């Protein structure tokens, strides 16, 4: 006879046969059973079985009783119930493990620094050492565990935990969507409300850039991904226009005040300006080419004689132009500074901001583009390279690509700035898969990328709105491709069958996540939906569900490690043989086809993503190495290669890399990017830099970027390449240098606290002359 | 942001003891001011990167 049982924590408690009956009955119920009596009889058999090995002096453990239940169910022919019971038991074990693990994670987050703890460095843009950064991690880790235990479909949870798939931003599973392209023109029209208090439509370029930052920051708090402006130049052009208009009247007033002693000149010139506008619909413009001066002249007749008035007008035009240009530059400088210092998400991170520009050919748009590039070139307060925003220069034939194109000068400038500061990246509007959406005169049809790569334009939900503005990704989940390849053991058919099963799984998982997102209300997203940033959300009330408008977004299936996949399948990656490249294209082409099929079947925008995988790069390979051991070229590095990239450690020329990666851009319609690593200082070979960009365009790359080392010695201020020794002051890392030496180099200002005294060489090399005339 | 350690070395003042170099790198699309913030896997990836030679054929 058994009276007690030993629990997992070692406590002895009274044995209760009803608990066994309940467990068996629940397992049977899950299969539609409803026979409590049988459950009771089985429980009695279990007790008998346990009693064979245990007495009250030697009580059984919970695990032993559960083993006995499994045994008895199988023995008595209840195989399906047994299976269900085993599943239930495994699930309970998993939950217990997770609870223990969560507390362990919290302990590590609490007592380890980011230097020691990889979890704290999962995202390089969050400072895990700060109070808010750690608090964010507590929340994030706790949320993940909760979702695994109570929200996620157990099949999806298992696949994620075992590393078959990776559900990105899982900590936000029930909360929000990924990202959005903020239509800044639309947002500013009529003003907006970022929190408490209404912001009027801005009236000059300074307010335009300040509000652009606020828009990015506000929206960042409503979503878990980055934020982007697709039409930065078009949007800021309005600010430049208004600034010029104001400055023209102000300078005209100054001139008339001085020349003829006009009183209340500011009001007078402003009144004339509005009168001319009311009569002719024209304002003074930056290019001074719309005949405004001639229309204004008669209205000014009462103030002075004609030659004096014309002189005053000429003065106003000249001054207003210079002052507008200065104001625009200062506004962009402030924007760059703001986007590198302002915080979002409980202060834990700088917003992930991206700006797309380069195709507005109006004088005002060009001035805005030039100014943002020059401000980026100048760097931050001590000449440091700004980390945000991500700049994306739009390359388009006939607009900004070839000599003679109206914005070719800006393209050249973009190359030069990128060669120094790593940004801008380049997006290629002429790539066929981007060009198909392009309609001249409709900037919303120009492809825009979200910083790291996300791309949203095709729209099966509403074919009439295949645009970038107001849309974004809802969620994405990546498939562990190398694992499928390892398991296939060279069997290509098995590989594709298993890949299909994983794709099916992820398609379902993304849809289940959408179902959760769809139930959210406008009030859950005060800025994104409340201010009408997301497409069609302006037609909803605060208590309306967002499910319908979210259908404009994308559900994306990603992948990582194509190179390792090919290596595991056929022993070569796509940089090593044409055969491998063809198989690579088959695999990714198949995945794309599955996305297109799913789109057709569901009416949702399923797209294929070349996953950036910051947190994922190490996770999959760690699990796979444990499971399958170290496999050469597959699991023998500490990371799986980024999406379809040729491995970073493989020697290959720039042109070959571009040629091989370009076809994958056409297939990955949820986003892609290719990188080229340049040696040396590309500023010294701008021609080569531009040629690489041009070659990307010719090969059909959609989005590309060039990496090169950007180092800086904070002591002497040198910016460039530093190997072991600073080329300017000659110190090694961590070494002291004499003030005498710094003084002789002209980089010491006696500021012991800062040490930095400016960088005379770097400052001299800045772009002093504007390219826009 | 730069706290440069200053020490007096007899007659001549020294600065910069313990101050490292900043190395800005791009990581999954984002720039990061120092390698310290990268996770282990990405640190390994950055260390293994090789340069891509620009050959004549790139010329258009």
């Amino acid at each position: 006879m058994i009276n007690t049982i030993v629990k997992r924590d070692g406590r002895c408690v009274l044995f209760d046969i009803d608990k066994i009956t309940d467990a068996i009955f629940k397992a049977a119920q899950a299969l539609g059973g409803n026979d409590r009596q049988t459950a009771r009889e089985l429980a009695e058999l279990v007790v008998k079985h346990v009693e064979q090995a245990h007495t009250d002096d030697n009580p059984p453990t919970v695990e032993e009783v559960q083993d006995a239940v499994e045994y008895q169910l199988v023995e008595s022919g209840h195989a399906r119930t047994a299976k269900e019971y085993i599943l239930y038991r495994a699930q309970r074990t998993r939950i217990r493990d997770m609870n223990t693990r969560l507390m362990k994670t919290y302990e590590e987050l609490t007592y380890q620094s980011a230097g020691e703890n990889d979890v704290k460095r999962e995202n390089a843009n969050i400072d895990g050492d700060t109070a808010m950064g750690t608090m964010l991690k507590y929340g994030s880790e706790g949320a993940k565990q909760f979702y695994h235990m109570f929200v996620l479909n157990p099949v999806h949870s298992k696949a994620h935990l075992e590393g078959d798939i990776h559900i990105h931003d899982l900590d936000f599973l029930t909360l929000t969507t990924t990202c959005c392209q903020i239509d800044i023109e639309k947002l500013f029209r009529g003003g907006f409300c970022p929190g408490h208090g209404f912001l009027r439509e801005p009236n000059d370029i300074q307010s335009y850039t300040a509000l652009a930052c606020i828009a990015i920051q506000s929206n960042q708090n409503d979503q878990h991904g980055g934020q982007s402006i697709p039409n930065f130049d078009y949007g800021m052009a309005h600010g430049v226009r208004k600034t010029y208009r104001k400055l023209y009247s102000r300078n005209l007033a100054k001139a008339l005040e001085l020349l003829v002693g006009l009183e209340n000149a500011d009001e007078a010139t402003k009144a004339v300006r509005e009168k001319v506008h009311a009569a002719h619909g024209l304002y003074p413009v930056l290019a001074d080419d719309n005949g405004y001066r001639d229309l204004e002249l008669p209205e000014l007749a009462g103030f002075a004689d004609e030659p004096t008035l014309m002189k005053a007008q000429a003065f106003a035009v000249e001054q207003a132009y210079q002052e507008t240009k200065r104001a625009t530059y200062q506004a962009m400088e402030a924007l760059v500074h703001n986007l590198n210092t302002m915080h979002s998400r409980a202060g834990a991170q700088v917003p992930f901001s991206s700006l797309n520009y380069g195709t507005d050919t109006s004088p005002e748009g060009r001035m805005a583009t030039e100014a943002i590039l020059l401000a980026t070139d100048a760097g931050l307060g001590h000449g440091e390279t700004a980390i945000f925003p991500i700049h994306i220069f739009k390359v388009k034939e006939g607009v900004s690509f070839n000599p003679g194109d109206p914005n070719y000068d800006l393209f050249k400038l973009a190359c030069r700035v990128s060669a120094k500061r790593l940004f801008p990246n380049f997006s290629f509007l002429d790539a066929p898969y981007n060009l198909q959406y392009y309609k001249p005169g409709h900037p919303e049809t120009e492809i825009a990328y979200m910083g790291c790569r996300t791309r949203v334009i095709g729209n099966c939900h509403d074919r009439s709105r295949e645009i970038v503005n107001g849309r974004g990704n809802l969620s994405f989940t990546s498939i562990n491709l190398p694992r499928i390849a390892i398991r296939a053991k060279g069997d290509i058919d098995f590989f594709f069958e298993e890949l299909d099963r994983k794709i099916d799984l992820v398609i379902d998982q993304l849809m289940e996540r959408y179902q959760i997102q769809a139930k959210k209300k406008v009030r859950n997203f005060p800025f994104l939906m409340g201010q009408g940033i997301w497409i069609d959300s302006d037609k909803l009330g605060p208590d309306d569900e967002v499910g319908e408008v979210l259908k404009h977004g994308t559900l994306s299936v990603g992948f990582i490690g194509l190179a390792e996949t090919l290596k595991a399948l056929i022993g070569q990656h796509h940089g090593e043989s044409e055969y491998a490249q063809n198989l690579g294209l088959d695999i990714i082409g198949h995945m794309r086809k599955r996305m297109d099929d799913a789109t057709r079947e569901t009416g949702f925008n399923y797209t294929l993503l070349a996953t950036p995988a910051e947190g994922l790069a190490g996770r999959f390979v760690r699990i796979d190495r444990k499971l399958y051991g170290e496999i050469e070229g597959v699991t023998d590095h500490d990371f799986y290669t980024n999406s379809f990239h040729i491995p970073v450690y493989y020697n290959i020329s720039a042109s070959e890399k571009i040629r091989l990666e370009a076809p994958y851009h056409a297939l990955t319609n949820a986003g892609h990017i290719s990188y080229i690593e340049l040696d040396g200082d590309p500023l010294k070979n701008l021609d080569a830099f531009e040629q690489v960009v041009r070659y990307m365009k010719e090969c059909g790359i959609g989005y590309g970027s060039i990496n090169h080392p950007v180092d800086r010695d904070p002591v002497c201020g040198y910016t460039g390449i530093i190997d072991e020794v600073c080329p300017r002051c000659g110190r090694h890392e961590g070494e002291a240098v004499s003030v005498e030496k710094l003084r002789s180099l002209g980089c010491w200002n006696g500021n012991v606290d800062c040490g930095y005294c400016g960088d005379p060489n770097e400052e001299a090399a800045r772009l002093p002359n504007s390219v826009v005339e | 942001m730069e706290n440069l350690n200053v020490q007096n070395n007899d007659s001549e003042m020294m600065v910069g003891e313990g101050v490292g170099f900043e190395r800005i790198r791009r990581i999954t699309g984002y720039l990061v001011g120092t390698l310290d913030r990268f996770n282990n896997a990405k640190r390994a990836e950055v260390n293994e990167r090789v340069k891509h030679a620009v050959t004549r054929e790139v010329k258009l």
Side-chain angles (χ1 to χ4, degrees), chain A residues 118 121-122 124 352 385 387-388 390 422-423 425 452 612 614 618 637-639 648-650 652 654-655 657 659 675 677-678 687 691 694 698 705-707 710-712 714 722-723 731 733-739 742 752-755, chain B residues 1-7 12-60:
Chain A
D118 201 39
R121 282 178 280 117
E122 187 179 358
F352 293 70
T385 294
I387 289 174
F388 284 109
I390 290 180
L422 294 160
F423 290 138
N425 302 337
C452 68
E614 179 174 7
H637 293 264
D638 286 334
F639 52 89
V648 293
Y649 45 81
Y650 184 69
I652 190 168
S655 56
K657 185 171 197 288
R659 241 193 341 266
Y675 295 117
E677 302 280 331
L678 280 192
D687 191 43
Q691 290 307 327
R694 300 189 81 81
E698 290 310 314
S705 179
I706 296 170
N707 287 332
V710 176
D711 302 331
R712 181 171 167 273
I722 306 176
D723 293 324
R731 75 180 192 108
E733 185 144 23
E735 235 174 41
V737 61
S738 75
V739 167
L742 292 179
V752 168
D753 291 337
C754 161
Chain B
M1 64 179 258
E2 287 144 11
N3 180 18
L4 303 178
N5 293 326
V6 180
Q7 51 177 239
E12 97 176 329
M13 190 163 59
M14 304 286 285
V15 291
E17 179 78 28
V19 177
F21 298 139
E22 293 170 7
R23 299 187 187 277
I24 293 197
R25 297 294 180 271
R26 196 191 312 268
I27 195 86
T28 60
Y30 295 102
L31 296 189
V32 178
T34 150
L35 298 183
D36 304 344
R37 292 272 273 279
F38 287 2
N39 65 45
N40 298 341
K42 278 296 169 183
R43 240 183 243 184
E45 195 251 90
V46 169
N47 286 334
E48 291 191 32
R49 285 180 188 176
V50 296
K51 304 292 178 187
H52 304 122
V54 178
T55 48
R56 276 180 173 279
E57 56 186 318
V58 170
K59 298 273 182 199
L60 295 170

Side-chain angles (χ1 to χ4, degrees), chain A residues 479 499 503 559 587-595 608:
Chain A
I479 294 176
L499 174 59
I503 293 173
F559 64 91
I587 293 169
I588 305 308
H590 177 74
M591 294 185 81
R592 170 59 186 275
K593 185 181 168 294
R594 290 295 317 275
M595 295 303 101
L608 183 64

